[in-house]
Amino acid sequence: MRVLLVEDDLALSEAVCGYLRAKSYVVDAAPSLALASSALHAAQYTAVLLDLHLPDGDGLSLLHEVRTLQERPIVIVLTARDQVSDRIRGLDAGADDYLIKPYDPGELLARLRAVERRRHAANVPVLTLGDLQIDLGREQVRRSGIPVALTQKEWALLRVLATRPGRIHTRDTLQDALYGWGEEIDSNTLEVFISRLRRKLGRQHIETLRGLGYRLILGAAATA
């Protein structure tokens, strides 16, 4: 999952980014509305964590722009404004959730996962594909009942595929889930991670659609 954090407090931004990256999220940080707007049109984000009090305006103005995107990301508002009227205004403007500062990073992560599950209608947190079980909530994978150890990058890639099983994900979308701004990407990096996942999960679960992308499939055998 690729996340955009819109926050002008540098210390808080670095702390949140570090925490989420340690949990296998790819995170970009924007300290202003202008930079956040540019980021939204430069990459595809699954979630936006949005502060309301920004140096160049009210963060709620960004919500109107988010709502025009074809692939609308989850938006969780993060703010020191604790008035009920402010919360209502944020939710009415299109926010998916609201968290008041100071907040615990663990609660932020839990809310992010919960909204993600609701958004994609994943009412059952464990996805079962034959002998494979993927628990998005606990970040656990089992194959034939045996735990499968994944690296952060492998889990980041699987999270995108498993959130919408059966959907074709383009190379650009999957690379966005693996790398943030300024990170160098080798031309065959995505194929390397796909190959590793296939070895660990079973080749039959990930299908290559040449010229289109990859998908996690729900039955028929996959092709290389």
Side-chain angles (χ1 to χ4, degrees), residues 8 26 30 59 61 69 80 93 95 110 114 116 123-124 128 149 162 164 173 194 205 212 216 222:
D8 66 327
V26 174
S61 64
L69 299 175
E116 181 184 9
N123 295 319
V124 180
T128 300
R164 293 183 178 179
T173 297
I194 290 289
H205 294 301
L212 297 176
L216 196 67

Side-chain angles (χ1 to χ4, degrees), residues 155-182:
W155 178 255
L157 182 58
L158 180 59
R159 187 199 306 276
V160 177
L161 295 169
T163 299
R164 293 183 178 179
R167 173 174 176 163
I168 300 172
H169 299 273
T170 66
R171 287 180 55 85
D172 288 345
T173 297
L174 295 175
Q175 285 181 339
D176 277 352
L178 291 172
Y179 296 98
W181 297 337

Side-chain angles (χ1 to χ4, degrees), residues 24 134 139-141 147-159 196-197 200-201:
S24 305
I134 304 170
E139 294 190 352
Q140 296 177 350
V141 179
V148 178
L150 299 181
T151 66
Q152 289 185 7
K153 292 293 188 184
E154 289 166 356
W155 178 255
L157 182 58
L158 180 59
R159 187 199 306 276
R196 290 178 182 175
L197 279 179
K200 293 182 178 183
L201 307 181

Side-chain angles (χ1 to χ4, degrees), residues 68 74 82 90 104 112 124 128 171 174 192:
T68 67
I74 296 161
D82 60 358
D104 184 276
L112 190 59
V124 180
T128 300
R171 287 180 55 85
L174 295 175
V192 170

Side-chain angles (χ1 to χ4, degrees), residues 80-106:
R81 300 178 186 176
D82 60 358
Q83 295 296 318
V84 172
S85 59
D86 286 325
R87 293 181 230 175
I88 293 173
R89 194 162 64 96
L91 293 170
D92 283 345
D96 295 283
D97 204 350
Y98 207 108
L99 197 57
I100 297 174
K101 298 177 181 179
Y103 54 84
D104 184 276

Side-chain angles (χ1 to χ4, degrees), residues 1-47:
M1 176 191 283
R2 189 165 184 172
V3 176
L4 176 63
L5 173 63
V6 188
E7 171 62 67
D8 66 327
D9 183 323
L10 180 59
L12 178 58
S13 177
E14 290 179 346
V16 172
C17 286
Y19 179 83
L20 291 179
R21 286 167 183 157
K23 299 296 182 180
S24 305
Y25 287 79
V26 174
V27 189
D28 297 324
S32 68
L33 286 173
L35 289 174
S37 178
S38 297
L40 284 173
H41 295 282
Q44 184 175 319
Y45 293 96
T46 306

